[in-house]
Amino acid sequence: MAVGALAPAMVHAQSRQAPQSLEDLIPDAAVENPEAWAEQGAPPEADDDVLDDTIADASEVDPDSPLAEQPPIDLPWPDSLELPQFAPLEPDDSIQFADVEDDERPVTAFADADVVEITSELVLAFPPDDTAFPEREAFAQRYRDLSTIAELDGDEDNIAQIAARAKADEELLATMLRVYGYYDAQVLRTIGAILPGEDTASERATVRFDIIPGTRFRFGALDLGNLTAAADGPALRQAFEIQSGDPLSSDMIVAEQFDLDRALGELGYPFAAINEPELLVDHARDEGDLTMKVEPGGKFVFGEVSSNLLDFLSSEHLTRIARFDAGDVYQRSLEFDLRRAIVATGLVSSVAITQRKVSEPSGDRPGEVALDVELTKARLRTIAGAIGYGTGEGFRAEASWEHRNLFPPEGMLRVRGIAGTQQQLAGVTFRKNNFRGRDKVLTLDAFASTISSQAFEARTVSAVGTYERLSTLLFQKPLSWSIGLEAVATQERARTRDVILPRQTFFVSALPGYAQLDTTDDLLDPTRGFRVGARLSPEVSRTNGTESFYLRSQVDASYYRQIRDRFVVAARVRFGAIPGTEIENIAPSRRLYSGGGGSVRGYGYQAIGPRDALGSPTGGRSLLEGAVEARIGTRYFDGALSVVPFLDAGSVGQSVLPDFDVVRFGVGVGARYETGFGPLRVDVATPINPGPGDSRIAVYVSLGQAF
């Protein structure tokens, strides 16, 4: 396509100024020839008396009086300009730079240019030879993001607006070319018209920029100050990858300055300084000389970590949670990691870490730098609550009070309670974070509860102690684990219809253990990766004088894959087994069940599995579940709303291995609303092959994905 040139129309308006002297009141012709001026129509009374009166009137003018209203000046908006039409060019046409007025065909730079369409009214034309400007793809995308013309609405904006923005974009393109190292480049701006179509009332303006890049400049001399004088000079110079003769790029200067700064921080130079880069461009040599002075400031190792609140978070405790030891080479990333770990305790509202020189480097011996930590306490007491509902589970309300540093450092005490349709609980928990190691937690929990589910009723008193290393929202870990000790006393009975069975007392001791591998990208809302976790709990149970030993085991695996933007497919499987004893020797609350919001949706909580003669679930010794769902993002609520169709399946058997006598399927659809700290989940499901007493519709509400 040929590109037409639009010659700007200039409109000048002259203003009238107040006279500055007497001579300003008299035309030049009257001064040069008074008689001739009088003969041509001068007022006969223009004599000396009149001039005296005029002078007197001028002297009486009040300089503060308002000016007389001026008549309006109407200037037509230049939308009536006729644009030259785009005309096709033949491949053999030569490049022309003629004025439109002297040539019927518009100005163009390349007859066979490589044209990139930014919008339907805006194009960039590059040289047909790819080697002349190999960065064109990235260049065009960058311009698309920055263009002021691309922001206009081609159906509503007039020619004058487009012309003004085209001039601004021409300067933008020239600046971008210099960023890429083309300091002798040219940008030809042409504006033409596309003939109106049958359904178009008027022609549309189209802007074309022809890019003539010219020679790409290269780096000339490099001056990095005292960088090579550092103990790690060669490694630091290698981190700054620009060499003399490389193609010149401002982006590369910024990126390599960042890489050099990071290398200085990671190799032990906490007091290094880098001056702002200066580039001297020499058009005679097609080169740019780069000066970026670097002062390494000496190499250092870590010293002590000092806290300003010794009775709150002591220096010893901060040293324990740091991922470095005294004498290790200083690394800026480890200093930042310590700051994040302190924030993650939830005990402080602000953290400031200051580097303090303890000793200067001497010869080959590095200096020592201490970290002074300035802490500001946060509010330590919290009252929390949660309300949920699930079909088959009923309502559930939880409340808790906690003091997060009642036993410093990081010794928390929590009192909690649950009131629900199926469960009531009262308990107290002691938790010690970062206990004998970073991200390791000691928890002691004691509680009493009553449970009344579809499968059983239980009155339980339990004491549990665990030592664990688990993922958190701030620190998601590839490997999590926990070990524990559990003592349980419980009175339970199977729940049957119309028949009240006697309660049976169980005393259970257990050593629960857990481990999980996690490669996902998010703890609450993963989009890729997998998780594999296993739970093993050797248990001894005593009831009615009979002692039994068995192993409760469960393996969970889930996989997540992003098909395209905001479209994730997720799948999971679960296998559980209890080998070692018969089912009647296992307390009903410790058997395996399926069904509910975190299991097979569409069915009631623990409603899937073997049933007694009266139709009540009895639980089993084997479990197999599977689920698949598609998490499809929408544009509603600024993209925060997702729609999730799903299919679940589950089976429970009384033998150690699943017998698949009855496999229940549930299907449904859910909605997820991203709250900023995790998705709010609402699922509606129905059973495909319901059993006796199963509802047709089940609803689940919770925070976080189903798996």
Side-chain angles (χ1 to χ4, degrees):
M1 299 289 290
V3 182
L6 174 64
M10 303 298 294
V11 181
H12 298 279
Q14 295 180 345
S15 60
R16 182 175 300 171
Q17 297 183 349
Q20 302 299 318
S21 63
L22 177 61
E23 287 78 3
D24 292 331
L25 299 173
I26 305 174
D28 294 339
V31 176
E32 296 173 358
N33 193 344
E35 296 178 359
W37 180 58
E39 292 176 356
Q40 294 175 3
E45 63 273 19
D47 52 17
D48 292 341
D49 293 336
V50 175
L51 294 177
D52 291 340
D53 293 340
T54 302
I55 295 171
D57 292 341
S59 65
E60 295 175 359
V61 174
D62 183 3
D64 296 328
S65 62
L67 296 175
E69 183 176 355
Q70 299 294 318
I73 301 177
D74 295 328
L75 297 179
W77 195 256
D79 272 356
S80 60
L81 297 173
E82 293 185 2
L83 295 175
Q85 305 300 326
F86 282 88
L89 290 177
E90 298 298 331
D92 296 334
D93 286 345
S94 60
I95 298 174
Q96 296 193 11
F97 297 94
D99 293 334
V100 177
E101 296 177 356
D102 301 330
D103 195 308
E104 294 182 358
R105 189 175 59 196
V107 175
T108 184
F110 304 108
D112 54 350
D114 179 10
V115 177
V116 177
E117 182 179 284
I118 306 300
T119 67
S120 59
E121 289 84 22
L122 175 62
V123 297
L124 296 181
F126 297 100
D129 183 5
D130 292 344
T131 61
F133 192 59
E135 304 86 0
R136 64 187 63 193
E137 183 176 345
F139 184 90
Q141 181 58 50
R142 197 169 189 174
Y143 171 66
R144 184 179 287 109
D145 296 336
L146 298 174
S147 170
T148 59
I149 301 177
E151 298 174 356
L152 293 174
D153 184 343
D155 296 332
E156 298 181 0
D157 298 293
N158 55 59
I159 299 169
Q161 289 176 308
I162 294 176
R165 294 204 176 190
K167 185 175 181 180
D169 271 20
E170 181 181 1
E171 298 176 358
L172 169 64
L173 288 167
T175 301
M176 290 176 56
L177 286 164
R178 289 192 292 272
V179 168
Y180 282 83
Y182 296 91
Y183 284 85
D184 286 337
Q186 297 181 56
V187 179
L188 300 182
R189 166 175 48 97
T190 49
I191 303 178
I194 297 178
L195 292 174
E198 296 180 357
D199 57 348
T200 306
S202 62
E203 63 184 22
R204 295 180 290 115
T206 299
V207 181
R208 167 169 165 160
F209 293 103
D210 286 88
I211 308 299
I212 307 175
T215 301
R216 187 175 189 181
F217 283 44
R218 295 184 174 273
F219 285 104
L222 300 176
D223 183 0
L224 299 179
N226 294 325
L227 180 64
T228 56
D232 299 286
L236 293 171
R237 181 62 184 89
Q238 188 176 2
F240 188 78
E241 297 181 346
I242 296 177
Q243 305 291 337
S244 296
D246 290 347
L248 201 154
S249 168
S250 298
D251 292 336
M252 182 175 291
I253 295 174
V254 174
E256 293 305 318
Q257 180 183 1
F258 175 81
D259 289 345
L260 177 58
D261 180 69
R262 181 173 56 184
L264 285 164
E266 292 303 291
L267 292 178
Y269 298 87
F271 304 105
I274 303 177
N275 290 349
E276 287 297 321
E278 297 178 0
L279 187 65
L280 179 61
V281 176
D282 189 338
H283 289 263
R285 294 185 287 121
D286 293 340
E287 290 184 343
D289 298 332
L290 176 63
T291 300
M292 192 174 70
K293 300 289 187 179
V294 181
E295 292 295 338
K299 187 169 184 173
F300 288 80
V301 297
F302 282 112
E304 66 174 353
V305 178
S306 178
S307 171
N308 68 315
L309 299 176
L310 298 178
D311 295 333
F312 183 73
L313 287 177
S314 65
S315 300
E316 179 183 0
H317 185 67
L318 297 184
T319 301
R320 182 182 300 116
I321 67 177
R323 297 188 190 274
F324 56 83
D325 297 322
D328 291 347
V329 174
Y330 172 86
Q331 289 182 254
R332 186 186 301 154
S333 60
L334 295 180
E335 179 186 325
F336 291 165
D337 178 77
L338 174 60
R339 185 183 186 281
R340 289 194 300 268
I342 296 173
V343 172
T345 63
L347 304 180
V348 299
S349 60
S350 66
V351 181
I353 299 180
T354 304
Q355 303 150 352
R356 172 169 49 87
K357 288 183 182 180
V358 177
S359 63
E360 293 282 354
S362 177
D364 295 335
R365 187 185 67 184
E368 182 179 333
V369 58
L371 301 182
D372 294 332
V373 182
E374 187 80 15
L375 306 173
T376 303
K377 294 181 181 181
R379 294 184 177 180
L380 302 178
R381 297 172 180 84
T382 300
I383 297 177
I387 298 176
Y389 173 80
T391 302
E393 301 171 50
F395 287 96
R396 177 186 174 95
E398 298 184 40
S400 65
W401 172 92
E402 69 179 26
H403 190 301
R404 293 188 298 280
N405 203 34
L406 186 61
F407 306 98
E410 297 195 69
M412 180 209 72
L413 184 68
R414 176 188 294 141
V415 178
R416 73 187 193 279
I418 298 175
T421 304
Q422 294 188 354
Q423 183 182 20
Q424 299 80 43
L425 180 145
V428 59
T429 302
F430 169 80
R431 184 183 180 98
K432 189 80 167 178
N433 291 325
N434 294 310
F435 180 73
R436 297 194 177 279
R438 171 74 171 273
D439 299 332
K440 297 177 181 178
V441 181
L442 173 67
T443 303
L444 302 177
D445 190 22
F447 62 88
S449 69
T450 61
I451 297 176
S452 179
S453 69
Q454 294 187 43
F456 63 88
E457 295 180 0
R459 299 172 181 174
T460 303
V461 176
S462 181
V464 183
T466 60
Y467 185 55
E468 58 190 350
R469 182 181 184 269
L470 300 180
S471 289
T472 66
L473 294 177
L474 290 178
F475 296 101
Q476 184 176 350
K477 301 172 182 63
L479 174 62
S480 302
W481 53 262
S482 72
I483 56 174
L485 177 64
E486 184 176 7
V488 179
T490 179
Q491 288 184 336
E492 302 185 7
R493 65 185 175 194
R495 187 168 183 176
T496 58
R497 299 172 183 173
D498 303 326
V499 177
I500 300 177
L501 300 177
R503 295 182 182 272
Q504 189 174 356
T505 302
F506 293 84
F507 297 96
V508 181
S509 298
L511 295 172
Y514 169 77
Q516 176 180 270
L517 293 175
D518 187 354
T519 68
T520 61
D521 58 339
D522 189 88
L523 192 63
L524 293 179
D525 191 11
T527 61
R528 62 178 181 272
F530 67 87
R531 293 172 182 161
V532 178
R535 299 178 184 273
L536 296 175
S537 180
E539 299 186 1
V540 176
S541 176
R542 189 175 187 86
T543 179
N544 296 330
T546 302
E547 187 173 280
S548 303
F549 174 81
Y550 54 88
L551 177 67
R552 297 178 72 229
S553 62
Q554 180 176 304
V555 177
D556 291 270
S558 57
Y559 177 74
Y560 311 88
R561 182 168 183 177
Q562 185 167 3
I563 305 301
R564 61 175 183 269
D565 186 39
R566 296 187 57 76
F567 184 6
V568 176
V569 174
R572 75 168 183 92
V573 293
R574 172 179 292 170
F575 171 76
I578 307 179
T581 191
E582 298 301 323
I583 192 169
E584 58 268 16
N585 297 326
I586 305 172
S589 63
R590 307 187 79 80
R591 298 171 188 172
L592 298 177
Y593 298 89
S594 184
S599 179
V600 180
R601 288 162 287 187
Y603 297 85
Y605 178 63
Q606 298 182 340
I608 296 176
R611 296 175 180 262
D612 59 20
L614 299 177
S616 299
T618 62
R621 292 195 298 155
S622 64
L623 165 70
L624 185 62
E625 292 179 352
V628 61
E629 62 182 31
R631 301 167 183 175
I632 307 169
T634 71
R635 296 182 179 179
Y636 297 103
F637 299 99
D638 296 328
L641 183 65
S642 299
V643 176
V644 183
F646 56 84
L647 173 66
D648 296 346
S651 176
V652 177
Q654 289 190 338
S655 60
V656 175
L657 295 177
D659 51 26
F660 302 107
D661 286 344
V662 178
V663 180
R664 300 296 182 186
F665 294 90
V667 65
V669 64
R672 309 288 186 268
Y673 182 79
E674 181 55 54
T675 63
F677 53 86
L680 179 64
R681 173 169 70 104
V682 178
D683 287 337
V684 179
T686 184
I688 295 179
N689 55 335
D694 289 328
S695 301
R696 297 302 305 174
I697 297 294
V699 180
Y700 311 95
V701 181
S702 66
L703 182 65
Q705 296 286 4
F707 57 90

